[in-house]
Amino acid sequence: MPTPNKTETSIINLLKTAKVKDKYLSGEEMSETLAVTRSAVWKHVSSLREAGYNITARPNKGYSLSEPLPFNAFEVSSKLKTSKIANNLLYFKELDSTNTKALQLAKEGATEGTTLIAETQSGGKGRLGKDWHSPPGVNIYTSIILRPKIAPQKAQSLTLMAAIAVAKTIEEFSPIKPSVKWPNDILVEGKKIAGILTEMSSETEQINHIALGIGINVNMKDQDFPNDICKTATSLAVLKGEKIDRAEVARALYSNVEKWYKVFLDTDLSSIIDTWLNYFTSKGKKICVSGTPPTEGICMGIDSDGALLIKNDDGTTKRVLSGEITSIY
Ligand code: BTN
């Protein structure tokens, strides 16, 4: 369901309060509290059920709500403690791509922090022209509109900020520490669990807006991954051995983006670089980075612009600004 209306929101809240007290709520009590007829209560309860809320009705007792709660903007927002990110949270049952829609809304004037979630994407985009597998009911596909007053050349460091926020989020739910693969793949035990796609509209001097797109594999099972990525991808549920509440993961993600975006805006980049390097495990290793031709050498870390530093056999160091690490030896 996109977003419950006002009466439905009140019904959910009343049922949640009753649930905490382990009580049922009669149709009569609800109709009095909400000043609507009992048949209106019944209709709203029906549409809430259709929207995925498990509401049981017991004769002579009333209604009760049980877990799991559905994944929608209302559930994500209800315990969200951010002040800017996801303050305006838009939920879509299906989109081509949350990034494409975010870029469109940003162009039309959507404010910074406006956040989109899609239950499924028909054309989910990955980096370097790849697809992002986006089935419904299991994962998080979200894009956040940002309007930093920075030059386009600084966008790479914003990507590092996003990688930190996603890695911190994964760390809150995964029993094993995540790592980042330059520039912004998030891996656990060498398998990809989340990806980030930053797309922007900019002038020569300044960025107009950014769509910060994040995909997190939350409840995918091993057998749900398509053949081409089943050996290289994982999810929080696979790692933890249990289903994870997507709304909780989304809230953690938005809090982490808010925190690290503030660090990005308010301080020099040293703490972003240092924190990112904490998750980077390729430093000192021989690597290969895609490109024409590909670059091979010893990884020396990243510089203050987020460029990858690779020491060639002749001892010179090359800065690589785009592409991906294809091999780590
Ligand atoms: C990658 O690792 O290749 C980047 C994947 C980014 C996927 C997310 S899902 C939400 C947003 N919308 C998209 O179409 N892509 C990003």
Side-chain angles (χ1 to χ4, degrees):
M1 161 172 78
T3 313
N5 67 29
K6 216 171 145 212
T7 313
E8 285 158 4
T9 303
S10 306
I11 292 177
I12 298 166
N13 287 334
L14 286 172
L15 286 169
K16 282 184 179 171
T17 312
K19 185 168 173 279
V20 174
K21 295 180 192 157
D22 217 9
K23 279 174 69 181
Y24 280 81
L25 205 62
S26 73
E28 200 176 339
E29 272 175 284
M30 276 206 261
S31 85
E32 268 171 30
T33 315
L34 302 169
V36 295
T37 62
R38 283 185 66 173
S39 84
V41 168
W42 184 84
K43 271 191 197 145
H44 287 304
V45 166
S46 299
S47 56
L48 284 171
R49 281 193 185 123
E50 267 169 41
Y53 286 90
N54 288 322
I55 302 174
T56 321
R58 283 270 166 82
N60 305 323
K61 281 188 156 183
Y63 297 103
S64 74
L65 175 68
S66 46
E67 310 261 339
L69 297 171
F71 182 59
N72 59 37
F74 174 71
E75 290 305 327
V76 175
S77 300
S78 61
K79 292 186 211 149
L80 193 63
K81 292 198 179 73
T82 54
S83 57
K84 190 194 279 179
I85 305 299
N87 225 358
N88 179 20
L89 182 60
L90 310 172
Y91 174 93
F92 300 85
K93 221 169 163 43
E94 177 171 345
L95 280 178
D96 171 22
S97 152
T98 54
N99 261 30
T100 306
K101 185 76 180 173
L103 287 172
Q104 179 207 322
L105 294 180
K107 199 171 166 200
E108 290 164 11
T111 53
E112 177 163 85
T114 297
T115 298
L116 292 77
I117 295 184
E119 185 61 50
T120 177
Q121 299 183 114
S122 53
K125 298 183 282 187
R127 286 185 70 242
L128 308 172
K130 294 179 191 162
D131 296 332
W132 187 256
H133 184 56
S134 310
V138 279
N139 296 329
I140 292 177
Y141 319 111
T142 188
S143 296
I144 303 168
I145 296 173
L146 298 176
R147 297 182 179 280
K149 291 188 174 49
I150 56 168
Q153 301 85 290
K154 291 272 171 214
Q156 178 81 339
S157 42
L158 192 92
T159 289
L160 301 181
M161 173 294 285
I164 295 170
V166 178
K168 295 269 176 202
T169 304
I170 300 298
E171 212 168 359
E172 287 180 36
F173 295 88
S174 163
I176 302 158
K177 188 178 165 165
S179 62
V180 292
K181 189 167 110 175
W182 183 88
N184 54 9
D185 283 354
I186 311 299
L187 315 181
V188 178
E189 291 185 310
K191 291 184 172 182
K192 186 151 165 175
I193 194 161
I196 299 163
L197 177 68
T198 312
E199 293 185 280
M200 65 179 172
S201 145
S202 66
E203 309 294 329
T204 333
E205 300 287 312
Q206 194 172 304
I207 286 174
N208 296 325
H209 53 256
I210 284 183
L212 174 60
I214 299 165
I216 303 181
N217 298 333
V218 182
N219 285 318
M220 291 277 281
K221 299 199 182 95
D222 273 331
Q223 62 268 29
D224 297 336
F225 288 106
N227 285 342
D228 56 330
I229 55 167
C230 68
K231 294 217 164 65
T232 54
T234 192
S235 74
L236 286 173
V238 167
L239 293 165
K240 240 191 150 182
E242 63 188 49
K243 203 168 173 212
I244 313 281
D245 182 351
R246 281 187 291 162
E248 250 183 66
V249 180
R251 277 194 292 273
L253 174 68
Y254 300 142
S255 299
N256 282 313
V257 171
E258 179 148 302
K259 176 175 171 188
W260 286 95
Y261 184 50
K262 193 166 167 15
V263 173
F264 173 83
L265 293 178
D266 295 353
T267 63
D268 65 17
L269 284 175
S270 59
S271 79
I272 295 281
I273 304 279
D274 288 351
T275 312
W276 187 90
L277 284 171
N278 251 322
Y279 293 99
F280 185 58
T281 49
S282 307
K283 196 170 167 183
K285 294 184 182 158
K286 188 174 179 196
I287 60 167
C288 181
V289 179
S290 64
T292 6
T295 310
E296 242 184 40
I298 303 296
C299 176
M300 307 303 287
I302 51 170
D303 68 11
S304 57
D305 295 326
L308 192 65
L309 302 172
I310 302 181
K311 198 167 167 184
N312 299 314
D313 285 346
D314 65 6
T316 58
T317 299
K318 186 173 169 188
R319 289 177 80 238
V320 180
L321 267 159
S322 63
E324 65 173 343
I325 298 180
T326 49
S327 311
I328 303 168
Y329 303 100

